[in-house]
Amino acid sequence: MYICRKVKFNLNDGLLETLPSVNDGKLVLPNPTKENSNFQGWYKNASFISEEITEIDFNSFDKQLNLYAKFTVDPNYVMDLIDQIPVNPMI
């Protein structure tokens, strides 16, 4: 979890390799990484049913904003796991 003044980033076991920054009054959202996963965006709730947040006007809210990182499993990782399953030709 990373907290930046008014924004709390819930990383869902991901890592921030770059810190958020402000450019022209808008918060530039970093893209976290997570092993064997693909980042799918930032959302306002942990169930990811809101619209993806792509930018934030840093002066448009007074309260703390909680953002949640959404990840999906990398399909290449799944295929690698499947390839590692031993095949028993006797069955």
Side-chain angles (χ1 to χ4, degrees):
M1 183 181 331
Y2 178 79
I3 299 174
C4 169
R5 194 172 147 212
K6 295 181 182 180
V7 181
K8 180 179 175 184
F9 293 89
N10 296 284
L11 298 171
N12 292 324
D13 297 325
L15 299 171
L16 279 183
E17 295 179 3
T18 60
L19 296 177
S21 61
V22 177
N23 186 12
D24 292 329
K26 298 203 186 269
L27 185 66
V28 178
L29 301 176
N31 290 343
T33 59
K34 185 175 178 180
E35 188 174 2
N36 303 316
S37 300
N38 295 323
F39 177 64
Q40 299 297 311
W42 292 105
Y43 292 81
K44 289 185 180 180
N45 59 55
S47 58
F48 313 115
I49 56 174
S50 62
E51 289 187 27
E52 180 182 354
I53 306 297
T54 56
E55 66 179 18
I56 299 170
D57 182 350
F58 206 56
N59 298 311
S60 67
F61 57 95
D62 296 327
K63 298 179 183 177
Q64 181 169 311
L65 175 65
N66 293 312
L67 293 179
Y68 298 85
K70 179 180 180 180
F71 292 95
T72 56
V73 176
D74 184 343
N76 293 323
Y77 174 67
V78 174
M79 294 307 295
D80 289 344
L81 287 177
I82 291 171
D83 288 343
Q84 294 175 21
I85 297 173
V87 177
N88 187 346
M90 303 304 284
I91 296 179

